Amino acid sequence: MTDILSLKDAETASAAASATSSADTSGQPVTLVPGAVEVLPILPLRDTLLFPGTIMPFSIGRPSSLQLLEESLPQSKLLGFVLQKDKQSESPSLEQLHEHGVIGRVIRMIRQDKGVVILVHGEQRMRIKSVVQTEPYMKAEVETLQSQMPAKEDDLAEATVRNLRESAEKLLNLRPDVTEEVKAVFSTIEDASTLTDILTANLSIEAEAKQKLLEEPQVMRRVESLQEHLNNQLHIADLQSKLRENVSSEFSDAQKRAYLREQLRAIQKELGEDSSSEEQVEDIRQRLDKAEMPEKARAQATRELKRLQVIPSQSPDHSVIVNYLETLAELPWNVLSDEKVDLHKAQEILDRDHYGLAKVKKRLVEYLAVRKLNPAGRGPILCFLGPPGVGKTSLGQSIAEALGRKFARISLGGLRDESEIRGHRRTYIGAMPGRLIQELKRLGTRNPVLMLDEIDKLGADFRGDPASALLEVLDPRQNQEFTDRYIDVPFDLSQIIFIATCNTLDTIPAPLRDRMEVVELPGYTEREKLNIAKNYLVKRQLSEHGLTEAQCIWSDEAIERVIEDYTREAGVRNLERQIASVTRHIAASIAKEEITEARITPAIVREALGPAHFVRESKLQTSAPGVVTGLAYTTAGGEVLHIEAIRFPGKGGFTLTGQLGDVMKESVRAALSLVRSRAAQLGIDPKIFDKNEVHVHVPAGAVPKDGPSAGIAMFTALVSLFSNRPVSKDVAMTGEVTLRGLVLPIGGLKEKSIAALRAGIKTIIIPKLNEKDVPDLPDEVKQRLKIIPVETVDEVLQAALEPATQKT
């Protein structure tokens, strides 16, 4: 009840009003007979209603309402008070007002700085029939209405009214702020209509609910509706009384705040006006229901939801549980993207996005074909192996597009914390799920294509070993029950297509490597780079720089100059960067209106990029004893190595320089031992080894070098040195050597052969066991290089050595 003290004033005013009902304070006759029609000024009310038999104060501030009072009150104190439908409206029209209102008598008017305050006594219900005037304020014909009272002999009606009165008295008794005088005044109200009007005016209910009670002509219907509101108020007051009884009179500020919060929650719950915390709990419950979670996950979520309901929102655990439940609700437990495998479309996408890579594309189409025939099968985990910039990541995107699945990339480079994969336990501050669960939550599907980029650059320290954590993730027979430590319930990863990328296999632990099928993406040849630049890179850079193909025409010679002099890579990433630099140079000139179009030539490339950045190792200009061209494989592709050996008088010492790794040092020593063991067969004086020092150097000393594949090159250099027979400058070689003189197979044949072709070499010597890799070499390599497979070092010498020169 909002203003229970007005009951006494209302009773007094009601009696006074009934004594003067035939005339207002101006002395003019006023008819308030039911059904009578009068023309009265209409005063709109925003959110407060006037009821018959009550006295209410109203603050008037609208200019139109102030003018109404100034002009109307001198003639008559009776006004029509009507609730407006939109309380924000400043000048409501008839359509914006409720039809029913109350005729009120202005008892007193008090002027203030910002308007006036009037004290009004409610006289009788009325209904607007028609509008007589709209400006400067509204006047209307109103019809007075009579409440329909129940028959006096109706016992049920009398019992219902008595029950309402008792409920009201009980409510007054539960309110400590209501005095005994007020209770006594209330007990004197006999008329049922007056009782309902006064109760309605003083109850804390919405204005629209009060308006419905005002419009109700049947008194008994008003009584029944009021009884429902009173029961609700009684329940709230009863809860308040119990809370007051259970709390000690002396308690700390913290206890006081807790008590008030509990009191507020109880009131809001009974009113159906749940607090934000309750709304949040209900919202989370609905989202969990929609998530279609497995039984284990649902049981866990239910337990946490029950905890959330009893934990105060100010508790630190509250936000932790909310974040956890929201994560569970947002995970795609049963959401799958529609997969449509069209092999012809897949081939078109691969051909559109990637030049060459025929063997790789063939393997990917086979992979997709198997998925089409057996969608539920557990396919292999593909691992794209190749140097930077060859298109490993974009191949994964093409697979996702061909399957119609969503794609995400997780960079594993430098990852050292196992929790990045398995998630953090919720006991830690700032805990969150692992990267896998986070990506699935972001994508909103359980079967995306996930690329694990740079898997060869995983680290490990005291926080765990991420590579070991990936063992479960990448095992198709285990990942259907993957348990992230944060969500702490199994999640099925078996529908995800995992694709890994790496630059080398050496740093990947053997158990993790065993779970993946390696698909090699070798570096591109010069001709392949030229075609990629013409068909993809140049067009993309022209588009990004706002140029058309007519404004910037690239010649093949210019692209070749960029490839040869400004890039040193197996892929095309830096090539695109240099093309962008030249394109920017032209775009700036066109923007300055210095030129309208340009044809890119090698001269313009040099003008834009400056002097050549790289001078590639080329073939030897002349043949000399002790100098051999070897072939090496790096993460940036193949490279040519010039191995140099010299001898000078000494005591048989042996020196190695060029920042050689342990494996390469062992290859040199094995080669020297082999040469000394075959000295007589090779026509070398055995005593020469004890009388000379030997120094083997591999230029570019700042670059680390390692690996066994330079074995036959080291052997040939030493034989050439001691026999004084030069090695042909057009020959390069690669292969591991044994102490028995056998030539063992090597890796990276394609990259090494491309490097030889780029350097102008005409013949390469390879191990016989690598002959199986020759069909996979680019056609350009097979056409322009003479490839000699060998089994022993004797065949190497026969193919590489030239006739002996005169000894100096």
Side-chain angles (χ1 to χ4, degrees):
M1 304 180 93
T2 58
D3 191 15
I4 199 70
L5 293 178
S6 66
L7 289 172
K8 183 178 180 181
D9 294 335
E11 188 71 15
T12 305
S14 180
S18 62
T20 60
S21 60
S22 60
D24 68 3
T25 55
S26 65
Q28 297 177 351
V30 178
T31 303
L32 292 180
V33 178
V37 177
E38 297 288 342
V39 176
L40 293 177
I42 303 300
L43 187 67
L45 302 176
R46 292 186 187 275
D47 51 12
T48 306
L49 279 80
L50 177 66
F51 280 85
T54 63
I55 295 176
M56 296 287 291
F58 294 100
S59 179
I60 308 300
R62 285 188 257 200
S64 59
S65 298
L66 291 172
Q67 186 176 354
L68 181 152
L69 295 176
E70 295 293 341
E71 295 180 3
S72 300
L73 289 184
Q75 284 76 36
S76 173
K77 298 297 187 290
L78 293 180
L79 304 174
F81 293 85
V82 182
L83 180 70
Q84 60 189 59
K85 298 176 182 178
D86 181 10
K87 66 180 181 180
Q88 303 298 331
S89 177
E90 289 295 327
S91 301
S93 62
L94 180 63
E95 292 76 15
Q96 294 175 313
L97 297 175
H98 286 282
E99 184 181 3
H100 291 74
V102 170
I103 298 174
R105 185 185 305 275
V106 180
I107 300 173
R108 185 179 301 173
M109 183 170 72
I110 303 172
R111 298 184 184 276
Q112 295 180 337
D113 294 337
K114 297 183 180 180
V116 299
V117 175
I118 58 175
L119 194 64
V120 182
H121 176 261
E123 297 287 344
Q124 195 165 347
R125 285 173 169 79
M126 61 87 174
R127 179 175 62 87
I128 297 176
K129 294 192 66 177
S130 62
V131 176
V132 176
Q133 170 184 315
T134 57
E135 297 294 339
Y137 51 84
M138 184 182 294
K139 282 188 176 182
E141 287 188 347
V142 301
E143 178 185 4
T144 57
L145 302 176
Q146 178 70 33
S147 296
Q148 300 177 14
M149 302 291 292
K152 292 183 179 181
E153 61 276 6
D154 191 343
D155 295 337
L156 178 60
E158 183 179 352
T160 304
V161 174
R162 186 176 299 174
N163 187 47
L164 177 66
R165 188 187 305 278
E166 292 175 354
S167 297
E169 291 175 350
K170 185 178 180 181
L171 180 60
L172 293 177
N173 292 329
L174 289 173
R175 295 287 301 272
D177 56 330
V178 179
T179 64
E180 292 297 328
E181 183 183 7
V182 172
K183 296 177 184 177
V185 172
F186 183 81
S187 63
T188 62
I189 302 176
E190 298 292 340
D191 183 65
S193 179
T194 304
L195 178 65
T196 57
D197 288 341
I198 292 177
L199 279 175
T200 304
N202 287 275
L203 278 179
S204 299
I205 58 177
E206 295 291 337
E208 289 298 327
K210 291 184 177 183
Q211 178 68 31
K212 290 182 180 179
L213 289 169
L214 179 67
E215 296 175 358
E216 178 55 59
Q218 295 283 347
V219 174
M220 291 312 299
R221 290 182 182 173
R222 298 208 297 265
V223 170
E224 293 170 358
S225 180
L226 268 174
Q227 185 65 57
E228 294 180 5
H229 290 294
L230 269 176
N231 289 340
N232 191 26
Q233 296 285 323
L234 278 170
H235 190 51
I236 295 172
D238 187 51
L239 286 174
Q240 290 176 317
S241 178
K242 290 179 180 179
L243 285 171
R244 284 192 295 269
E245 293 174 0
N246 293 334
V247 178
S248 173
S249 59
E250 295 182 1
F251 44 73
S252 65
D253 291 340
Q255 290 173 317
K256 182 179 179 180
R257 286 194 296 270
Y259 160 73
L260 292 175
R261 282 196 299 268
E262 185 66 21
Q263 190 177 38
L264 180 62
R265 288 181 61 187
I267 293 172
Q268 290 176 331
K269 185 174 182 180
E270 292 301 318
L271 288 176
E273 301 172 353
D274 290 347
S275 64
S276 59
S277 178
E278 295 294 332
E279 293 175 355
Q280 187 179 42
V281 171
E282 184 59 31
D283 176 63
I284 292 175
R285 178 182 287 107
Q286 293 177 4
R287 290 164 62 187
L288 290 173
D289 291 338
K290 294 178 182 179
E292 299 182 9
M293 304 162 65
E295 184 177 348
K296 290 182 180 179
R298 182 62 190 179
Q300 175 75 0
T302 303
R303 285 195 297 270
E304 294 296 326
L305 196 61
K306 289 179 180 178
R307 286 186 59 204
L308 183 65
Q309 290 176 309
V310 299
I311 293 179
S313 58
Q314 291 77 16
S315 171
D317 287 344
H318 184 274
S319 60
V320 173
I321 297 175
V322 168
N323 291 338
Y324 174 71
L325 291 175
E326 287 182 342
T327 299
L328 290 182
E330 293 173 8
L331 282 176
W333 297 95
N334 203 28
V335 180
L336 298 172
S337 301
D338 294 333
E339 179 175 301
K340 297 179 181 179
V341 182
D342 186 339
L343 297 181
H344 296 290
K345 180 182 177 182
Q347 186 68 54
E348 291 176 2
I349 292 173
L350 291 172
D351 291 338
R352 180 198 68 194
D353 297 341
H354 303 86
Y355 180 83
L357 304 176
K359 187 176 181 180
V360 176
K361 293 177 182 177
K362 178 175 178 291
R363 177 64 187 91
L364 293 180
V365 171
E366 291 172 351
Y367 175 82
L368 297 177
V370 173
R371 291 204 62 85
K372 180 178 182 179
L373 297 176
N374 185 16
R378 298 189 177 106
I381 307 297
L382 298 181
C383 178
F384 294 150
L385 168 65
V390 295
K392 299 185 293 296
T393 303
S394 58
L395 275 174
Q397 294 172 333
S398 299
I399 292 175
E401 182 181 352
L403 291 173
R405 294 192 181 193
K406 293 184 178 181
F407 176 82
R409 171 183 168 271
I410 300 176
S411 178
L412 301 179
L415 198 67
R416 293 179 176 273
D417 192 350
E418 181 188 359
S419 297
E420 293 288 339
I421 305 297
R422 293 189 182 276
H424 302 78
R425 299 189 187 279
R426 283 185 291 136
T427 52
Y428 298 128
I429 296 175
M432 63 180 64
R435 299 279 295 277
L436 291 169
I437 296 298
Q438 289 185 48
E439 286 298 331
L440 292 175
K441 174 183 170 183
R442 183 180 64 83
L443 294 173
T445 180
R446 191 161 58 87
N447 63 339
V449 176
L450 282 186
M451 174 154 283
L452 305 177
D453 215 3
E454 310 291 356
I455 198 171
D456 57 324
K457 296 176 180 60
L458 284 170
D461 59 13
F462 64 94
R463 290 170 291 185
D465 183 6
S468 298
L470 282 175
L471 293 177
E472 179 185 0
V473 173
L474 298 182
D475 192 332
R477 303 186 185 279
Q478 296 182 28
N479 59 14
Q480 60 186 355
E481 291 288 328
F482 173 74
T483 301
D484 184 278
R485 289 172 180 163
Y486 181 83
I487 64 174
D488 202 27
V489 289
F491 192 90
D492 186 4
L493 303 181
S494 61
Q495 296 299 315
I496 300 175
I497 294 180
F498 288 102
I499 299 175
T501 70
C502 65
N503 301 131
T504 177
L505 295 175
D506 298 338
T507 56
I508 303 177
L512 182 59
R513 189 166 62 241
D514 182 61
R515 279 165 168 76
M516 302 183 294
E517 177 185 337
V518 178
V519 178
E520 293 191 30
L521 279 75
Y524 297 111
T525 65
E526 306 291 333
R527 186 169 297 277
E528 286 174 334
K529 288 183 180 181
L530 174 63
N531 282 291
I532 291 171
K534 289 169 58 178
N535 297 326
Y536 301 95
L537 307 184
V538 169
K539 293 179 180 179
R540 184 157 61 211
Q541 290 305 317
L542 289 177
S543 175
E544 291 183 1
H545 288 82
L547 300 177
T548 65
E549 295 185 20
Q551 290 177 299
C552 185
I553 304 172
W554 279 79
S555 65
D556 290 356
E557 294 79 9
I559 297 175
E560 289 173 351
R561 177 60 57 87
V562 174
I563 294 171
E564 293 173 2
D565 293 349
Y566 298 94
T567 64
R568 186 178 185 181
E569 58 180 348
V572 293
R573 186 172 296 159
N574 197 45
L575 172 61
E576 183 172 12
R577 193 174 294 119
Q578 299 300 335
I579 290 175
S581 297
V582 177
T583 307
R584 260 194 318 273
H585 177 74
I586 300 302
S589 300
I590 293 177
K592 293 177 183 177
E593 298 183 354
E594 297 173 353
I595 58 174
T596 57
E597 61 182 34
R599 178 176 178 82
I600 310 300
T601 62
I604 293 180
V605 169
R606 181 177 178 84
E607 178 185 341
L609 300 181
H613 296 174
F614 301 101
V615 178
R616 296 189 179 275
E617 294 281 3
S618 59
K619 72 174 185 178
L620 298 169
Q621 297 302 314
T622 59
S623 301
V627 181
V628 175
T629 303
L631 299 173
Y633 172 70
T634 69
T635 55
E639 290 292 339
V640 171
L641 295 178
H642 295 318
I643 300 170
E644 302 172 347
I646 62 172
R647 60 187 174 94
F648 48 88
K651 298 181 180 181
F654 190 70
T655 304
L656 296 174
T657 57
Q659 201 174 161
L660 307 183
D662 292 338
V663 177
M664 184 172 283
K665 289 178 181 178
E666 292 174 357
S667 296
V668 179
R669 294 186 182 281
L672 180 59
S673 298
L674 182 59
V675 172
R676 297 187 68 169
S677 68
R678 296 192 174 198
Q681 180 182 344
L682 296 171
I684 302 173
D685 183 2
K687 297 180 181 179
I688 199 173
F689 297 106
D690 297 326
K691 298 179 181 180
N692 289 272
E693 299 277 344
V694 177
H695 186 164
V696 177
H697 176 69
V698 182
V703 180
K705 311 167 189 70
D706 203 1
S709 63
I712 62 172
M714 295 292 182
F715 172 80
T716 306
L718 293 172
V719 172
S720 171
L721 175 66
F722 286 110
S723 65
N724 207 34
R725 295 178 61 186
V727 178
S728 173
K729 64 180 185 300
D730 294 323
V731 174
M733 60 189 70
T734 178
E736 183 179 355
V737 69
T738 71
L739 293 178
R740 294 178 295 158
L742 300 178
V743 180
L744 301 183
I746 45 83
L749 180 61
K750 178 181 178 181
E751 290 79 3
K752 293 177 180 179
S753 61
I754 291 172
L757 180 65
R758 187 172 57 228
I761 299 295
K762 297 180 180 179
T763 302
I764 60 172
I765 300 173
I766 66 172
K768 182 76 173 179
L769 293 176
N770 281 110
E771 201 170 11
K772 58 181 176 51
D773 299 322
V774 173
D776 296 329
L777 297 180
D779 292 337
E780 183 182 3
V781 170
K782 291 186 287 187
Q783 293 170 4
R784 296 176 57 184
L785 286 182
K786 180 181 180 182
I787 301 172
I788 302 176
V790 296
E791 289 183 299
T792 65
V793 292
D794 297 327
E795 298 176 54
V796 175
L797 298 178
Q798 184 178 359
L801 292 180
E802 293 182 348
T805 61
Q806 185 178 357
K807 186 175 180 179
T808 59

